[in-house]
Amino acid sequence: ACSYIGGVSVVLFFAKAVWCWRVFIDEMSSPTTASPCGLIFMTMALSFVGKGEVGAMLVIVASFLHLALVVWFIYMSMAYGTMSDPSWFANTIGIGLCAVKIWFYYPLSGHFLIAITLIMTFLFYPICLIRVALNEKMSATICWMNMMGPAVSLYSLAIIMEPTFQQERPDINHFQTVQRSIYLPSMTCLFVLCIVGMISSLHGLIVRWKQIAREEFGPAHAAYSFPLLMHAMAVQSYRSSLDFFADAEEVNPTLKTALHAYWVALVVTGTMAALLCIILYLAFLPSWVDVDTRDEVEPPPPDETSVCDWVTYGESLIQPYISPTILQANESGILIMVYDYQNGWNDLVRTRRIPAFGFEPMMGRRMFNRERNALKLSMGGQDVIQEGDEEDDDICFDNEIENVSAV
């Protein structure tokens, strides 16, 4: 059933890319709105592996497309001057899941993609840890995904030291020596990073609990559905490596018991979180699909927003402002296809009535104005008080944002 659901999701994604190609290009042109894209290739690889020759071809296609996405996303992020955060993981480190699946067909290709995964993990993850801990402007959905990075790498590494089908009679003694001297310590290092990631994610949620309580459920909250299960998958990989590679007398029985209990708790809570997100997602889905924009002032395109000249200002480890790309996405809204009842045809319009941009929940009007002013101050400008900033508005704003071209 999971394979069929995943397959339908993949078909719908590619149908959107072909039928609504302008919408697809618009989403892929910003690091904020493009951040969930890697999930579809991960789903594609997981859904079609083991499905015969057609499945093998689709896994290869998914791996190639994910690799192309890695290159494009990193290039785009460098062009915008953004710094790595947990929202990057689906598009970058997430290629490790494709690596595991393509390994079954082409081991060398799998090892190559896993090497890329490990390199990106050790490049991006330390930065993400610092930013989640010290950057108060980061949203709770992004913080929760911090446990995902090392989890994918740990799961992927579980495949590297397995003998391939070409090795019919590997040197067992040499094989086990390498496993115990290199492979198992590496797995332990990644497992420690997984635990640190879990602590970081929980801390990020706790300190942002008031923010979570004010938010209406939106597409961005799908970010709560999968990190726990990814973490559980990594813990299971580490448990298996201890059972398979380590000597029985070297592993503390208490540790094995604790790992088993931790894994069970993760599977139960992760499954409950995923089911809750699925139920809420399906309940809210009609309001996100059938959007009435007839009484809405259409937002400006990205290159005409009030922050378009600041969008490449960049980010830092600790910053007093929200990323300019997130502000731009909030002001320009999302490009969607709607049916024009007056003229009787489909039309492309921009709207702010879908309350999310990638993994980022939509800001309220008051918050947007405040964060835009914070960005202006960080750039050395003067604070600008917009009319209505003093009003409490925690809901998504529909009205046109004031033009601040004079700022």
Side-chain angles (χ1 to χ4, degrees), residues 117-133:
T117 301
L118 294 175
I119 291 172
M120 290 189 295
T121 299
F122 289 105
L123 283 178
F124 299 152
Y125 189 62
I127 298 174
C128 294
L129 283 175
I130 296 173
R131 299 194 72 201
V132 169

Side-chain angles (χ1 to χ4, degrees), residues 31 72-82 311-314 325:
W72 167 248
F73 186 79
I74 292 177
Y75 166 77
M76 179 170 53
S77 299
M78 292 175 62
Y80 278 97
T82 59
V311 76
T312 58
Y313 178 65
T325 60

Side-chain angles (χ1 to χ4, degrees), residues 12-327:
L12 291 176
F13 174 83
F14 284 101
K16 172 185 174 180
V18 173
W19 183 257
C20 305
W21 58 271
R22 289 179 57 189
V23 174
F24 178 76
I25 292 175
D26 184 76
E27 291 180 355
M28 294 300 296
S29 299
S30 168
T32 300
T33 52
S35 55
C37 187
L39 293 176
I40 200 67
F41 301 129
M42 297 160 63
T43 301
M44 189 173 175
L46 292 171
S47 299
F48 297 116
V49 66
K51 305 297 183 182
E53 294 183 0
V54 174
M57 181 185 67
L58 292 174
V59 169
I60 294 170
V61 170
S63 301
F64 174 79
L65 291 177
H66 205 150
L67 182 59
L69 176 64
V70 170
V71 175
W72 167 248
F73 186 79
I74 292 177
Y75 166 77
M76 179 170 53
S77 299
M78 292 175 62
Y80 278 97
T82 59
M83 185 173 287
S84 60
D85 62 50
S87 69
W88 284 35
F89 292 160
N91 287 348
T92 56
I93 298 174
I95 198 174
L97 283 184
C98 292
V100 170
K101 303 311 173 185
I102 198 175
W103 178 87
F104 290 109
Y105 305 103
Y106 300 100
L108 186 60
S109 299
H111 290 170
F112 172 71
L113 294 183
I114 290 173
I116 294 177
T117 301
L118 294 175
I119 291 172
M120 290 189 295
T121 299
F122 289 105
L123 283 178
F124 299 152
Y125 189 62
I127 298 174
C128 294
L129 283 175
I130 296 173
R131 299 194 72 201
V132 169
L134 303 179
N135 190 348
E136 297 180 356
K137 299 295 185 178
M138 192 171 292
S139 64
T141 50
I142 304 301
C143 293
W144 183 243
M145 296 174 64
N146 206 28
M147 72 179 79
M148 176 182 168
V152 173
S153 300
L154 178 55
Y155 172 71
S156 303
L157 192 62
I159 302 298
I160 285 182
M161 291 304 294
E162 295 290 336
T164 64
F165 291 109
Q166 287 79 7
Q167 294 174 285
E168 296 181 359
R169 295 182 180 179
D171 186 340
I172 298 300
N173 292 330
H174 174 72
F175 191 63
Q176 291 181 343
T177 300
V178 172
Q179 287 173 330
R180 291 171 181 170
S181 61
I182 299 177
Y183 172 66
L184 195 55
S186 300
M187 292 281 286
T188 302
C189 175
L190 285 172
F191 177 74
V192 172
L193 290 181
C194 284
I195 299 301
V196 173
M198 170 60 78
I199 296 172
S200 173
S201 295
L202 291 174
H203 172 263
L205 244 62
I206 292 171
V207 299
R208 293 166 178 82
W209 187 252
K210 291 183 179 179
Q211 170 193 332
I212 298 172
R214 292 196 303 265
E215 292 174 353
E216 177 186 355
F217 186 84
H221 293 89
Y224 293 126
S225 64
F226 56 87
L228 274 176
L229 293 177
M230 298 282 292
H231 186 70
M233 189 167 59
V235 172
Q236 176 59 25
S237 298
Y238 184 64
R239 289 179 61 221
S240 300
S241 67
L242 288 179
D243 292 338
F244 190 75
F245 302 126
D247 293 329
E249 61 273 10
E250 293 180 357
V251 182
N252 191 322
T254 304
L255 174 62
K256 297 181 69 173
T257 302
L259 286 174
H260 178 73
Y262 182 53
W263 174 74
V264 171
L266 287 172
V267 171
V268 173
T269 55
T271 302
M272 292 175 61
L275 289 175
L276 179 60
C277 287
I278 291 172
I279 293 171
L280 290 173
Y281 199 95
L282 293 176
F284 282 90
L285 185 60
S287 64
W288 303 332
V289 174
D290 186 14
V291 181
D292 186 1
T293 62
R294 287 175 291 181
D295 60 341
E296 179 187 15
V297 177
E298 185 172 359
D303 59 351
E304 296 179 12
T305 58
S306 62
V307 297
C308 64
D309 293 333
W310 316 335
V311 76
T312 58
Y313 178 65
E315 297 180 310
S316 58
L317 285 176
I318 307 173
Q319 60 190 43
Y321 57 89
I322 286 179
S323 171
T325 60
I326 297 176
L327 293 177

Side-chain angles (χ1 to χ4, degrees), residues 356-368:
F357 306 98
F359 292 122
E360 291 285 348
M362 179 181 281
M363 299 179 190
R365 182 188 189 90
R366 180 187 179 193
M367 182 179 180
F368 176 88

